[in-house]
Amino acid sequence: MSPTDNYPEQTPKPAPAPQEREPSAVFGKVDSAGEAVRAATQSRYGLMRVLATFRGWWRDDVIGAVDHEDVIAKRRDDCAMSEHYLFMTAMSAGIAVIGLLQSSTAVVIGAMLLSPLMGPIMGLGFALGITDYQWLKQSTMSLFWGSFGAVLLCSIIVFLSPITTITPEIAARTQPNLFDLLVALFSGLAGAYAMIRGRANAIVGVAIATALMPPLAVVGFGFATMNWTVFSGALLLFVTNLVTIALTAWGLSKLYGFRGSLSQRQSQFQNTMIIVVFLGLAIPLGLSLRTIAWEANAQRIVREEITEEFQGSGRLAELDITFSEELIGVTGTMFSPEFREDAQSDITKALEARLGREVNLTLAQVETGSSARDTDQAALAAARAQEEQAAASARANALAGRLALVAGVPENEVTIDTGRKRATVRAQELEGASLASYRALEMRIAATEPDWVIEVLPPVGDLPGTISFGEEGPDEAGQEALAIVEWAAKRTGLPVVLEGREVEATQAAEALRENGVEVSVTPRFGPLKADWAAR
């Protein structure tokens, strides 16, 4: 007998069958639907059930309601590089650059509405979403040629234009900040949603919000004027808008269930390419975003330090901040009931400590009454003065542009003295232009600016051949000739010699001397003529 024989053989008992538990056993006793939801979400089983219900609702009621094939077909049509696309892009670019040169907001908005660039940019996002390489290539080529053509056309227009001043509309698109990025993000979400859900009316607002064409027009302006600061700033704004909208469209297309129809191997290759594209786009965008975010934070710090220095008793107005690699320039006006002598130096030290850069602060303090009403009135008066100054500056810039045009010189060679309201330009020698022609051009511009002293300094040319006289003195033609001699002598600063009958020469010389012209007389027979004494 073995030891195991002492123990009777035992058959194993079957496992008890699982019993279904009542909901109250899992969630506890509930008395209302709200309590049931709260109890379910507090439980691991309930949370999974809620998530499964949400996924089912999104798949069936949201994604299922989208006609994916129709959306893709429409987006493909928008990306085609057709005659209509190129023509509308060119017209939008032309309108945009003219509006920017005129600093006309209404004209710039019109260019935004005409621009078809949103189609290829959205196409980039959807093509990435369904991993369609051919569509991605088509969208890229359409966007490239449309953008290149727009920049080229804008450069030609600016090159031929007499106005090359950096207007406020142009300057506003050379320093992209964090808000521009956020606008592109929200606009991309709105645009992609409108295209997926068939809300075409929203695309108009998206086109205005993103403003894709004006930055390209500014890129053309910067290229034509060789202003690389303007060129790079506007290009950065355009690339920021482009990348943000394309990536936003990609994300929303994935969220709405757009998938590719490629094989597994092809999908892996396409995904690898997408990752490479993402990294290539994300790196410069991340660097620009870092700079944009730092400048936005610096602006907040500047306002904060100035306000804290005056302990909230004043009002900050007309704050202007410029950034360079080593220096931050800050100009502002503070309306306060108390003048603080050391405020500027104290704020400068605080800003340099917090920002880690040298700060050049110019803070104008305007003393006001102690009441808030006095501060508001002072701020309003300053705002009006600033508007008047801006209008006067714009008028002076326009005057400089017209003088540069008639003189045949670049605009930066025109001297504008806004304090004395004096404008001077030295004209180039124009083929076929006489001294009378330059004088007529000066008089034409002076007639439009009666408050200004306009001086066009002509090249030294031939004076009028003959100064004709009548019985009582110079006749009408002679008076006109003397007027040209007087004008040319004053503009050039050169002395004049009169040759002719002594009586006529002496009479003409006296009239010129009375008007400040240095003149000498050489008596001889024949009609009276004028020439330069120094020639």
Side-chain angles (χ1 to χ4, degrees), residues 154-185:
C154 292
S155 299
I156 294 174
I157 293 175
V158 173
F159 182 78
L160 298 177
S161 170
I163 302 175
T164 56
T165 306
I166 299 179
T167 62
E169 286 288 339
I170 294 176
R173 291 166 174 85
T174 58
Q175 293 181 333
N177 54 44
L178 184 60
F179 294 106
D180 296 313
L181 182 66
L182 293 176
V183 168
L185 174 63

Side-chain angles (χ1 to χ4, degrees), residues 108-404:
V108 174
I109 291 177
M112 299 176 195
L113 295 176
L114 289 178
S115 173
L117 292 177
M118 182 67 75
I121 294 177
M122 284 291 181
L124 286 175
F126 281 94
L128 291 172
I130 65 172
T131 62
D132 189 331
Y133 176 74
Q134 291 300 326
W135 188 12
L136 181 65
K137 181 179 178 181
Q138 178 191 17
S139 300
T140 303
M141 294 303 296
S142 297
L143 182 61
F144 171 79
W145 286 114
S147 302
F148 178 79
V151 172
L152 180 62
L153 178 61
C154 292
S155 299
I156 294 174
I157 293 175
V158 173
F159 182 78
L160 298 177
S161 170
I163 302 175
T164 56
T165 306
I166 299 179
T167 62
E169 286 288 339
I170 294 176
R173 291 166 174 85
T174 58
Q175 293 181 333
N177 54 44
L178 184 60
F179 294 106
D180 296 313
L181 182 66
L182 293 176
V183 168
L185 174 63
F186 293 130
S187 299
L189 288 172
Y193 174 81
M195 291 179 176
I196 292 173
R197 303 296 292 178
R199 306 292 193 270
N201 293 335
I203 302 299
V204 175
V206 173
I208 296 176
T210 51
L212 294 168
M213 184 54 71
L216 275 182
V218 178
V219 170
F221 176 91
F223 181 76
T225 58
M226 298 298 176
N227 190 327
W228 304 118
T229 301
V230 172
F231 178 89
S232 59
L235 184 61
L236 175 60
L237 176 59
F238 176 73
V239 172
T240 299
N241 288 340
L242 186 156
V243 172
T244 305
I245 294 173
L247 294 181
T248 302
W250 167 81
L252 213 60
S253 68
K254 286 291 187 182
L255 187 63
Y256 272 88
F258 286 83
R259 298 290 183 268
S261 58
L262 304 176
S263 65
Q264 183 177 0
R265 184 176 180 180
Q266 291 174 328
S267 297
Q268 291 177 352
F269 175 75
Q270 294 287 354
N271 290 336
T272 303
M273 294 300 298
I274 290 173
I275 293 174
V276 172
V277 172
F278 281 168
L279 292 177
L281 295 176
I283 291 174
L285 183 61
L287 295 176
S288 64
L289 178 60
R290 180 180 178 183
T291 302
I292 292 171
W294 188 91
E295 291 182 357
N297 185 55
Q299 292 177 352
R300 179 189 61 81
I301 291 175
V302 170
R303 286 185 174 274
E304 182 180 293
E305 288 294 336
I306 296 177
T307 304
E308 287 182 358
E309 176 67 22
F310 289 86
Q311 300 177 353
S313 61
R315 171 176 294 182
L316 179 62
E318 304 174 20
L319 183 63
D320 182 33
I321 305 175
T322 57
F323 296 92
S324 63
E325 293 183 1
E326 300 295 336
L327 180 67
I328 300 176
V330 180
T331 304
T333 302
M334 190 69 182
F335 298 93
S336 174
E338 179 183 0
F339 182 85
R340 296 178 180 267
E341 185 175 353
D342 299 329
Q344 183 165 308
S345 60
D346 293 343
I347 296 172
T348 301
K349 293 178 181 178
L351 289 176
E352 291 178 344
R354 294 187 64 179
L355 299 177
R357 290 190 187 180
E358 183 181 355
V359 177
N360 183 13
L361 173 64
T362 302
L363 183 64
Q365 299 185 48
V366 180
E367 290 190 68
T368 62
S370 58
S371 65
R373 181 179 180 182
D374 293 336
T375 303
D376 292 340
Q377 290 178 347
L380 181 60
R384 290 174 178 171
Q386 185 181 17
E387 290 179 358
E388 293 176 357
Q389 183 178 3
S393 177
R395 186 175 180 180
N397 291 334
L399 175 59
R402 286 187 290 154
L403 284 174

